[in-house]
């Protein structure tokens, strides 16, 4: 016992319990450690707050709720020494409401419910003064809660000036009154002027905006902005009414928001709860908005409404959601995976996976070394549509394995295989795919594969959520592949959630439509379907024989850009039907044929339109920008396309801030730069011909100062590449005439939220050059989807899908010059 500490007295009560007494000599937090046979007793050490007596009376607090608890559950503590004049306030990472407060002869029992995990400060005052130990810090743990979120520009855009500006390599720095310079995001307005995409002033006075392009100040820089009281961003002046206390599950609930007196600022909305929610924002006027949300299940939800990154008055709102449960079930299986075996050069390697619905004669596999040399792999056919891929890597480094069926990459291919050192690791290196992700059938096992070798050791979690309970089986195959099967009893939409070390892996969750048991659909056969040798703008036809089956036949195709198109069906006789559709672009189509809502054998069928002139397995990415970066500074990465053929190259950056993505052609590929505005983790996704390259997504850790967005921002750029050969002349450059490019189509003028729109580009008389297409929303966000495909020589079909209403800016360049009419102002609404 240390000198000066109180010596406890221990008495046996002869009933299996003991009494411990001690007399403290000083106030403060005392720690009581208990051991039994020299082993710590569970639940210890105990923390006891001792306060000094003041004129015969004192107030103190104790209880487990002052130090720990679980989110969503009741936590309690006690306040002793006074029956009144006690004030209690709880602050923390989430909302915590006091649900009970009982007084029993000078002893108060307080019960509170913290909504989310985190650290909470509990302030206790007696007659306006803090009691000893206040504020108490309670660490709350619990399951991660599901969060739906959206951002809305509202009144955050501020126009600086200029005319027909070009944002390429342009950087803005904003200096507030008495503050330090900070990077700011720039945008181009529909009328071609320069603007700040997100201006949210918190101080009155003169703001300065310095804008440089290629390191030199532009005309008019620095720009001065004078901010008065009416322009200040005031979250407290936002007015709301509607469903902020009570709501109904599986129905749209409405909240009216008015920002007429709130100044400049953007809105951010999120809803948290034990289940997912759908969110929508509608504009009723320049200052009035309608927020609609639909929780999927009853329960307690937290509604966050922010303006200018600050909570409005009353936010977060605790909403009690009633109504009937959806009846959805969720089953989860967790499996701990060991690190992959360290492979040395010239060591024989193999991978095993299950791919139902394939023919071994149509399977092929290739290994590409770090030096770019490709070699065929051996494929062994195993029972039950399983395959073993054998190969021998000749050198150290990251190899690429590609697996194709009928010449088309299967889901998840190509993927990385590290030799000579441990893989980089991380949940973003997990890949999954297979027939059970594309479709499902009631009453049968639906299979998919998960590739975890490059992710390192960890805990793999697979959950299936839907109208019925799923029987899940998870089997770990050697060397990195895990096979998953699930079987359900009801048709409908099922969510497949794949996590690694408690974090969702890329593309998780996915939603799979499970069809009814196939029954007579197994009798239906398809005839004359060509899976290659097809051309754009020429009809693709084939026949379907019902073979005596009775029911409804229907079909549709998924295009290379992801849109769905109907198939024309004509009855030839009682059993035979003719099907026809017209492909408009080159690429891989998937033909879905269903009978009585169930897939026929082999559906969906892949079809290649045009020639597959590019191989994503030969595309590589390198550069510091794939791993690290600094706020306000350009990060660079290079995508090597040598020997990969020509195709559409897409780079997307996802992270805590918007970024401006710029592309420049180099000798061996294309160099991309992006400038992050906030610190944090950024995911860089690289696709070639709509297929993710090996190793993507890449994770870049950005350091520095800046305020991160509450939601994940996505920025991207598409370019149509030219073929590059190893050893080709480095001085060769293509010259084109942008003035001879002709753009046509309704998509240049009008679009509708959430619906694909399209237009065409005729470049046959414009020579050869780099084609660049980009589109941003009114608040500076890139549109959700944007892609283009070569239909024939010199002709392209461009498709986009915008989610926000308002005037969007569409920029099209041939080489370094805008084509006639670019930038286009496209009205979406």
């Amino acid at each position: 016992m240390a000198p000066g500490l109180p010596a406890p007295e221990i008495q046996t009560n002869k009933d299996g319990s003991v009494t411990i007494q001690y007399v403290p000599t000083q106030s403060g937090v005392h720690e009581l450690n208990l051991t039994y046979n020299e082993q710590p007793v569970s639940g210890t050490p105990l923390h006891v707050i001792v306060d000094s007596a003041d004129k015969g009376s004192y107030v103190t607090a104790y209880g487990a709720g002052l130090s720990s608890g679980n989110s969503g559950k009741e936590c309690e503590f006690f306040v002793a020494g006074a029956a009144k004049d006690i004030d209690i306030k709880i602050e923390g990472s989430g909302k915590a409401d006091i649900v009970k407060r009982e007084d029993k002869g000078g002893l108060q029992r307080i019960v509170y419910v913290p909504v989310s995990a985190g650290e909470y400060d509990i302030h206790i005052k007696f007659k306006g003064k803090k009691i000893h130990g206040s504020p108490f810090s309670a660490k709350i743990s619990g399951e991660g809660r599901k969060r739906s979120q959206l951002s809305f520009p509202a009144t955050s855009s501020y126009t600086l000036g200029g005319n027909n500006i070009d944002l390429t390599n342009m950087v803005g720095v904003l200096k507030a009154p008495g503050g330090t310079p900070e990077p700011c995001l720039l945008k181009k307005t529909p009328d071609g002027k320069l603007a700040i995409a997100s201006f949210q002033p918190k101080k009155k006075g003169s703001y300065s905006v310095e804008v440089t392009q290629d390191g030199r100040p532009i005309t008019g820089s620095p720009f001065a902005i004078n901010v008065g009281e009416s322009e200040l961003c005031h979250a407290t002046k936002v007015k709301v009414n509607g469903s902020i206390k009570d709501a109904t599950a599986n129905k749209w609930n409405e909240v009216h928001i008015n920002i007429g007196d709130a100044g400049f600022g953007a809105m951010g909305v999120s809803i948290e709860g034990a289940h997912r929610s759908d969110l929508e924002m509608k504009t009723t006027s320049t200052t009035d908005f309608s927020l609609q949300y639909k929780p999927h299940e009853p329960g307690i939800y937290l509604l966050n409404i922010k303006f200018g990154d600050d909570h409005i008055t009353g936010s977060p709102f605790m909403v009690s959601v009633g109504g009937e449960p959806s009846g959805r079930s969720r089953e989860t299986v967790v499996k701990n995976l060991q690190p992959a075996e360290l492979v040395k050069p010239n060591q024989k390697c193999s991978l095993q996976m299950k791919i139902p619905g394939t023919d071994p004669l149509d399977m092929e596999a290739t290994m590409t070394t770090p030096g770019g040399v490709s070699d065929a792999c051996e494929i062994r056919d195993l029972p039950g549509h399983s395959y073993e891929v054998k190969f021998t890597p000749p050198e150290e480094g990251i190899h690429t394995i590609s697996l194709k069926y009928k010449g088309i990459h299967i889901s998840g291919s190509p993927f990385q295989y590290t030799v000579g050192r441990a893989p980089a690791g991380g949940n973003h290196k997990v890949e999954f795919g297979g027939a059970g992700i594309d479709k499902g059938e009631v009453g049968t096992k639906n299979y998919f594969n998960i590739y975890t070798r490059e992710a390192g050791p960890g805990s793999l979690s697979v959950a299936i959520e839907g109208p019925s309970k799923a029987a899940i089986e998870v089997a770990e195959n050697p060397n990195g592949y895990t096979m998953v099967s699930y079987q359900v009893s009801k048709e409908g939409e099922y969510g497949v959630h794949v996590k690694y070390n408690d974090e969702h892996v890329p593309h998780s969750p996915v939603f799979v439509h499970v069809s009814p048991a196939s029954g007579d659909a197994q009798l239906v056969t398809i005839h004359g379907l060509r899976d290659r040798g097809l051309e754009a703008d020429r009809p693709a036809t084939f026949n379907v024989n019902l073979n005596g089956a009775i029911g409804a036949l229907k079909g549709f195709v998924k295009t290379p850009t992801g849109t769905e198109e109907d198939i024309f069906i004509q009855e030839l006789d009682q059993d035979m039907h003719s099907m026809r559709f017209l492909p408009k672009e080159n690429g891989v189509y998937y033909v879905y044929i269903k009978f009585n809502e169930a897939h026929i054998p082999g559906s969906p069928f892949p079809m290649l339109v045009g020639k597959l002139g590019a191989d994503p397995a030969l595309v590589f990415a390198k550069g510091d920008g794939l791993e690290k970066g600094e706020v306000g500074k350009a990060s660079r990465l290079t995508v090597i396309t040598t020997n990969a053929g020509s195709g559409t190259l897409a780079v997307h950056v996802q992270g805590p801030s918007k970024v401006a993505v710029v592309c420049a052609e180099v000798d061996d590929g294309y160099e991309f730069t992006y400038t992050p505005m906030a610190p944090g983790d950024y995911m860089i996704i690289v696709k070639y011909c709509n297929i993710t390259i090996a190793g993507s997504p890449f994770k870049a850790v950005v350091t520095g100062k800046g305020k991160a967005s509450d939601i994940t921002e996505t920025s991207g750029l598409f370019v149509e590449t030219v073929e590059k050969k190893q050893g080709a002349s480095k001085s060769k450059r293509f010259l084109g005439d942008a003035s001879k490019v002709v753009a046509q189509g309704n998509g240049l003028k009008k679009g509708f939220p959430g619906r694909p729109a399209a237009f065409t580009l005729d470049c046959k008389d414009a020579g050869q050059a780099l084609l660049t297409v980009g589109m941003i929303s009114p608040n500076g966000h890139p549109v959700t989807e944007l892609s283009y495909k070569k239909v024939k020589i010199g002709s392209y079909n461009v498709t986009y899908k915008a989610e926000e209403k308002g005037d969007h800016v569409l920029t099209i360049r041939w080489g370094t010059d805008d084509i006639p009419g670019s930038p286009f102002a496209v009205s979406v609404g």
Side-chain angles (χ1 to χ4, degrees):
M1 179 70 64
L5 294 180
E9 294 180 2
I10 304 177
Q11 297 178 351
T12 303
N13 299 327
K14 298 182 180 180
D15 61 355
S17 66
V18 296
T19 298
I20 302 173
Q21 295 181 334
Y22 70 99
V23 179
T25 58
Q26 52 185 306
S27 61
V29 180
H30 289 62
E31 184 176 278
L32 181 62
N33 293 277
L34 301 179
T35 61
Y36 185 74
N37 290 336
E38 299 183 352
Q39 297 296 320
V41 175
S42 177
T44 63
L46 303 175
H47 294 88
V48 182
I49 296 95
V50 177
D51 205 353
S52 57
D54 182 15
K55 296 182 180 181
S57 65
Y58 62 93
V59 176
T60 188
Y62 64 93
L66 291 176
S67 58
S68 62
N70 292 317
S71 64
K73 296 184 178 181
E74 292 186 348
C75 306
E76 71 170 11
F77 62 90
F78 299 86
V79 179
K84 57 183 181 179
D85 298 325
I86 299 293
D87 180 59
I88 300 173
K89 184 179 180 182
I90 303 177
E91 299 176 332
S93 58
K95 193 163 187 175
D97 283 356
I98 297 176
V99 296
K100 291 182 183 177
R101 189 165 177 169
E102 302 171 347
D103 184 15
K104 297 182 178 180
L107 179 66
Q108 291 197 26
R109 175 176 176 261
I110 290 90
V111 180
Y112 68 97
V113 178
V115 173
S116 58
E119 191 167 351
Y120 291 74
D121 291 329
I122 303 173
H123 302 265
I124 304 177
K125 291 183 179 181
F126 175 55
K127 293 184 177 180
K129 295 183 178 180
K130 293 182 179 180
I131 71 170
H132 192 83
S134 177
F136 303 92
S137 180
K139 292 180 172 61
I140 305 299
S141 61
E143 294 292 332
R145 302 177 69 81
K146 293 179 175 59
R147 175 186 175 99
S148 303
Q149 55 194 10
L150 60 81
S151 64
F152 204 73
T155 55
S156 61
S157 178
Y158 187 93
T159 302
L160 298 174
N163 187 33
N164 196 28
I165 58 100
D166 181 2
L167 292 175
T168 304
N169 296 328
M170 191 176 287
V171 178
V173 176
L174 175 67
K175 184 177 181 181
T180 57
E182 295 182 357
C184 66
L185 188 67
L186 303 174
K187 61 175 282 188
K188 187 176 182 180
T189 63
D191 57 357
K193 297 185 181 299
L194 178 66
I196 302 177
S198 184
F199 184 54
Q200 303 178 141
K202 302 297 177 67
K203 295 180 181 179
K204 290 190 291 185
S206 180
Y207 288 71
S208 175
V209 183
E210 295 183 0
V211 181
T212 58
Q213 191 166 36
D214 295 321
R216 296 185 297 273
I218 69 169
T219 303
S221 178
F223 300 89
I225 306 174
N226 293 315
V227 174
E229 181 65 28
S230 61
E231 290 85 21
L232 279 180
C233 180
H234 283 296
T236 56
K237 293 185 178 182
V238 176
K239 302 171 185 177
V240 296
N241 62 75
S243 301
I244 56 176
K245 292 184 178 180
D246 301 289
T248 305
N250 297 304
K251 292 185 178 179
W252 287 107
N253 304 273
E254 190 171 20
V255 177
H256 301 281
I257 305 174
N258 178 271
I259 60 172
D261 301 324
F264 284 100
M267 276 195 292
V269 179
S270 65
I271 184 167
E272 304 173 54
H275 303 275
R276 292 185 299 118
S277 299
D278 298 328
L279 276 176
E280 287 186 3
M281 182 77 80
K282 297 181 179 179
T283 303
T284 55
S285 72
T286 55
T287 58
D288 290 286
F289 305 90
S290 172
L291 169 66
Q292 297 184 339
Y293 65 96
K294 181 169 65 175
H296 289 198
E297 301 287 349
I300 299 298
Y301 290 75
L302 204 64
L303 177 62
N304 301 276
I305 302 177
K306 289 185 174 183
F307 186 76
D309 298 326
D310 295 324
H311 281 283
I312 70 171
T313 303
S315 175
F317 302 95
M318 185 173 286
V319 183
S320 177
V321 177
E324 296 297 324
S326 67
R328 293 174 69 86
S329 301
R330 184 185 180 103
E331 291 295 316
T332 304
V333 174
V334 178
K335 192 173 186 66
N336 292 319
L337 303 181
Q338 300 301 314
E341 174 191 1
L342 185 64
V343 174
K344 298 179 180 179
N346 298 313
Q347 178 179 336
K348 293 184 178 180
C349 303
S350 67
L351 295 169
Q352 291 184 11
M353 63 209 75
K354 190 178 185 72
I355 313 175
T358 55
D359 187 332
L361 297 177
D362 291 322
M363 299 293 298
E364 61 178 290
T366 306
M367 175 191 66
T368 303
T369 68
V373 179
S374 296
D375 193 15
C377 303
E378 177 188 353
I379 299 182
R380 291 184 58 196
D381 181 23
L382 303 179
H385 291 289
S386 294
Y387 298 91
E388 182 179 22
V389 180
K390 292 187 173 184
F391 53 95
T392 304
E395 59 183 287
E396 288 190 2
I398 298 176
H399 293 62
T400 299
I401 308 297
S402 61
L403 191 59
K404 297 179 181 180
Y405 178 63
K406 293 185 176 181
I408 300 171
H409 284 277
I410 67 166
S411 179
S413 174
F415 50 87
Q416 288 185 333
Y417 194 93
T418 302
V419 177
R421 61 177 184 268
N427 73 303
H428 62 288
K429 293 299 181 183
V430 176
E431 300 182 46
F432 68 100
I437 296 298
D438 298 327
K439 64 175 183 177
E441 183 178 326
V442 169
T444 65
K445 288 186 177 181
N446 305 284
Y447 294 92
F448 64 93
N449 302 293
I450 305 176
Y451 184 61
T452 60
R453 185 183 188 278
E454 299 297 302
S459 174
L460 175 65
S461 167
V462 179
I464 309 291
E465 174 193 11
S468 66
K469 181 178 178 180
I472 307 173
E473 295 180 3
V474 179
E476 182 181 4
N477 289 331
N479 303 321
Y481 260 110
T482 299
M483 184 182 70
V484 180
S485 70
Y486 65 92
Q487 184 172 334
V488 298
S489 59
K490 294 181 180 179
E491 64 177 297
E493 185 182 68
Y494 286 77
V496 179
H497 305 255
V498 181
K499 292 183 178 181
Y500 205 68
N501 292 332
D502 293 327
E503 292 186 11
H504 278 284
V505 307
H507 309 302
S508 173
V510 296
F511 297 93
V512 183
H513 180 74
V514 176
S515 302
S518 55
D520 284 352
Q522 293 293 328
L523 302 174
V524 180
T525 54
I526 192 166
H527 305 274
L529 178 67
R530 297 169 59 195
D531 55 19
R532 61 194 64 216
L534 301 167
E535 297 180 17
D537 291 323
R538 298 191 66 177
T541 60
F542 52 92
N543 294 330
V544 174
N545 194 334
L546 302 186
N547 296 309
I550 299 176
L553 179 69
K554 73 175 186 179
F556 64 92
V557 295
K558 282 190 176 179
T559 69
T561 53
T563 60
E564 291 185 5
E565 295 183 3
D566 292 331
I567 295 178
F568 177 75
I569 304 176
Q570 183 177 6
E571 184 176 356
L572 301 180
D573 59 34
Q574 185 175 358
D575 268 359
M576 188 68 71
H577 293 72
S578 174
M579 289 192 166
R580 184 177 78 248
F581 74 96
L582 184 67
K584 293 288 188 179
E585 55 189 303
N586 292 328
V588 179
Y589 289 73
Y590 288 91
V591 180
Y592 290 73
I593 307 295
K594 291 185 176 183
F595 187 77
N596 290 337
E597 296 300 327
H599 284 274
I600 72 170
S603 174
F605 304 91
M607 296 177 63
L608 177 61
V609 176
K611 294 181 179 180
L612 197 61
D615 190 354
L618 300 177
V619 177
F620 306 93
K622 66 178 183 178
D624 290 341
L626 296 174
E627 300 176 356
K628 61 184 179 180
E630 291 185 50
V631 172
K633 295 184 179 180
S635 299
R636 286 178 169 80
L637 61 106
T638 302
V639 180
I640 309 298
T641 60
T642 303
N643 297 327
S646 60
T648 303
L649 173 62
V651 174
H652 294 279
V653 182
Q654 298 177 346
S657 78
K658 307 180 190 73
V659 300
V661 184
V662 180
C663 174
E665 186 178 357
V666 293
D667 292 326
D668 54 358
Y670 298 85
E671 183 183 69
F672 292 84
T673 61
Y674 66 94
T675 305
M677 299 297 182
D681 294 339
Y682 290 75
M683 293 295 177
I684 294 99
I685 302 159
V686 182
K687 291 186 176 183
Y688 202 60
C689 297
N690 208 32
I691 296 175
T692 304
I693 72 168
S696 175
F698 305 90
K699 181 179 178 180
V701 179
V702 173
T703 58
K705 295 181 179 180
K707 191 165 185 179
S709 170
D710 285 339
I711 67 172
T712 300
E713 304 283 2
T714 301
S715 309
L717 185 66
F718 292 84
V719 295
E720 187 73 22
T721 67
V722 295
E723 188 172 0
K724 293 180 179 289
K725 294 290 186 180
Q726 194 167 11
S729 173
K730 295 185 178 182
S731 60
K732 186 176 181 180
R733 289 293 184 269
F734 294 106
L735 298 176
D737 186 354
S739 66
K740 295 183 179 179
V741 177
V742 179
Q744 293 179 319
N746 292 331
L748 293 170
K749 300 178 181 178
K750 183 69 175 176
F752 297 92
R755 290 168 55 183
F759 59 94
T760 61
L761 294 175
D762 186 350
C763 311
K764 64 178 181 295
D765 297 325
Q768 291 184 322
L770 178 69
L771 175 61
T772 306
V773 181
M775 189 173 187
I776 59 174
S777 66
N779 66 346
H781 287 183
V783 292
T784 305
E785 296 177 11
L786 174 64
S787 62
Y788 56 81
K789 291 287 182 181
K790 183 184 291 184
V791 179
K792 54 188 177 182
I793 296 177
S795 180
Y796 299 87
N797 186 53
V798 184
T799 304
Y800 66 87
K801 184 166 72 173
E803 299 291 346
E804 302 176 22
K805 292 183 178 180
D807 290 333
H808 289 56
V809 179
L810 172 66
T811 302
I812 306 173
R813 292 194 181 101
W814 187 249
T816 59
D817 299 322
D818 286 293
I819 71 168
S822 176
F824 298 88
V826 182
S827 175
V828 176

